[in-house]
Amino acid sequence: MMKILNKSDLNEAKEILLNDGTIAFPTETVYGLGVTYDKYDNYLKLVKAKNRPDDKPFTIMCTSFDDVKDIVEINEVTQKIINKFTPGPITLILKIKKMFLII
């Protein structure tokens, strides 16, 4: 089932994600598909939906620096980059902490 949500429906989008659903959302350049990152079954949903090789990594979007530091390794240089350029349109490619590896 698919339903189009508006900005006023953010709580509904949140509930979809918390119940292991999948959402589509606009970014600056393309539409993305989103699931919560902490369950292997959700990862498999994205692999299947995107017909993607299962060894190709996905982007993780975070809403706060606390989320970032819980998921990836951050050294002093990375910390300075984050402090200087966020919030803002920046992509960082960082090493994931082992406890978050799902494969």
Side-chain angles (χ1 to χ4, degrees):
M1 182 178 133
M2 184 170 66
K3 180 178 179 183
I4 296 174
L5 303 176
N6 298 307
K7 287 183 181 181
S8 61
D9 300 319
L10 288 178
N11 282 333
E12 188 170 350
K14 175 184 171 184
E15 288 301 315
I16 290 168
L17 291 171
L18 290 175
N19 288 297
D20 299 325
T22 303
I23 62 169
F25 57 92
T27 70
E28 291 178 355
T29 55
V30 297
Y31 277 86
L33 293 178
V35 298
T36 56
Y37 66 84
D38 59 347
K39 292 185 180 169
Y40 186 67
D41 287 344
N42 290 342
Y43 164 79
L44 292 176
K45 285 180 195 177
L46 281 184
V47 169
K48 184 177 180 181
K50 296 186 78 145
N51 195 27
R52 185 178 179 123
D54 62 2
D55 62 344
K56 186 174 181 182
F58 285 99
T59 299
I60 296 178
M61 296 181 173
C62 298
T63 60
S64 72
F65 180 66
D66 287 336
D67 291 342
V68 174
K69 69 182 182 182
D70 288 344
I71 298 168
V72 296
E73 296 178 12
I74 297 177
N75 60 30
E76 188 176 325
V77 172
T78 303
Q79 179 68 58
K80 287 180 182 179
I81 292 169
I82 290 169
N83 290 345
K84 182 169 177 110
F85 295 105
T86 63
I90 184 171
T91 299
L92 301 170
I93 300 173
L94 304 169
K95 186 175 182 178
I96 196 164
K97 290 183 177 179
K98 288 186 182 193
M99 65 184 189
F100 281 98
L101 291 177
I102 59 174
I103 295 178

